[in-house]
Amino acid sequence: EDSWVPCYQVSCCLQGSESVLSYDIASSPRGETKSMLQQQQPHRGSLHQTADTNTMFKQKRHCAQQMLLSTAHQTIDPESTQRVSLSLLVPDNTICSTHTPTMEISYECVVDIVVASPPPPAPSSKSTSTKQMQQRLYQPKYRNLRLQVPCTIAHAPTALETMAHEMKDPEEVALLQRQR
């Protein structure tokens, strides 16, 4: 029971982003490897190395659009609640997760949980400084825990797509599409 942390609120959302990908190409004449360049410039995007190991390219990601698909929220009585279940709904017209060399559409589920802060440490007997007293006094009562889980959104195939996949003859597929 000592490890139980009271929970006061849970909220979640399904969000997405549409990103444009670009690449800067740079040669490494001195024979530097990918790991050496990453150590020199860890904050400048992801580095990729081609098969010949002398050409490096750096991938840059520019967020073109943010999407909020669904949200849910629940306040909780920590004395009586043991579990919480929240539902997120994906709209029918949502674009599928996509990754090409020039663009990416990705989604993630974000869960925020508000919990009680752990109690501050007890002050020592004689050596309680002013700084320690202020830390005890101004410690936040609540803390936020965040969980971000990447998601993939895909639509079920239509009846036409299912039949076309089952047919091996391209002429039958073309005929079926013309009848549509």
Side-chain angles (χ1 to χ4, degrees), residues 156-170:
T158 63
L160 178 64
E161 291 170 334
T162 304
M163 288 189 325
H165 180 69
E166 291 172 358
M167 293 180 200
K168 303 294 182 197
D169 187 14

Side-chain angles (χ1 to χ4, degrees), residues 14-36:
L14 183 60
Q15 62 187 20
S17 66
E18 182 176 335
S19 301
V20 177
L21 306 177
S22 63
Y23 301 90
D24 287 341
I25 298 175
S27 294
S28 177
R30 294 177 289 169
E32 296 171 324
T33 64
K34 178 180 169 182
S35 60
M36 292 168 68

Side-chain angles (χ1 to χ4, degrees), residues 26-41 47-50 52-57:
S27 294
S28 177
R30 294 177 289 169
E32 296 171 324
T33 64
K34 178 180 169 182
S35 60
M36 292 168 68
L37 288 174
Q38 283 177 326
Q39 289 173 358
Q40 293 171 6
Q41 302 174 351
L47 288 170
H48 303 278
Q49 193 167 0
T50 59
D52 66 5
T53 69
N54 288 331
T55 305
M56 303 280 181
F57 61 94

Side-chain angles (χ1 to χ4, degrees), residues 14 41 48 74 97 101 111 121 130 134 143 154 163:
L14 183 60
Q41 302 174 351
H48 303 278
Q74 181 70 48
S97 300
V111 180
T130 306
Q134 286 178 342
R143 293 210 177 167
M163 288 189 325

Side-chain angles (χ1 to χ4, degrees), residues 2-14:
D2 291 338
S3 64
W4 187 260
V5 178
C7 177
Y8 295 95
Q9 178 176 292
V10 176
S11 60
C12 61
C13 73
L14 183 60

